[in-house]
Amino acid sequence: MPNSDSIVIAIPTYRRPEQLAELLESLLPQVLPAHVQVVIGDNDCGADAAEVVSRFRERGLAIAYVPVPEPGISQVRNSLVREATRACPGWRLLVMLDDDGTVLPGWFDALVQGAKRYD
């Protein structure tokens, strides 16, 4: 059963820095106190997503940035899994989110409780 130190949230992104920032803003109050590792896989490899990541890192979020020059969601997801394993070797739960969504209050607690209940 996962605890918050063994959870990684992985987010592929491609040219949506504003939406990525909205998603991270919605995640921040839920995952910051839980010490969750966040990993961003940027398939654009431009400066925009890296700047968003830097802003949230300054706010205390454990967040890693991975540029992925090879096009395609499979390449980004594979890179996210590799980085998750590097950044949090004992991860037990890897959550993939899309850069064009947000999470509702209570989302993280419900996710962890469901993972614990159903192992």
Side-chain angles (χ1 to χ4, degrees):
M1 285 182 254
N3 59 47
S4 60
D5 291 334
S6 64
I7 298 172
V8 177
I9 298 174
I11 305 167
T13 191
Y14 181 74
R15 296 186 181 171
R16 295 185 197 168
E18 295 86 15
Q19 289 174 302
L20 177 61
E22 289 177 26
L23 171 58
L24 293 174
E25 192 66 48
S26 72
L27 281 172
L28 195 63
Q30 297 184 63
V31 301
L32 190 57
H35 307 290
V36 172
Q37 176 67 48
V38 177
V39 181
I40 306 297
D42 182 13
N43 210 196
D44 182 40
C45 301
D48 293 339
E51 289 172 10
V52 171
V53 168
S54 179
R55 285 197 317 262
F56 281 87
R57 188 178 294 128
E58 289 171 4
R59 293 174 65 186
L61 187 61
I63 188 168
Y65 172 81
V66 181
V68 184
E70 302 83 19
I73 191 65
S74 296
Q75 287 75 10
V76 178
R77 289 183 193 270
N78 289 340
S79 294
L80 287 167
V81 171
R82 279 191 298 274
E83 180 60 23
T85 301
R86 188 202 65 74
C88 186
W91 66 266
R92 296 273 323 270
L93 182 62
L94 178 65
V95 180
M96 291 277 185
L97 294 176
D98 291 325
D99 64 355
D100 62 348
T102 57
V103 298
L104 298 173
W107 168 84
F108 182 74
D109 288 338
L111 176 80
V112 172
Q113 292 308 313
K116 286 181 178 179
R117 181 174 181 189
Y118 298 107
D119 195 22

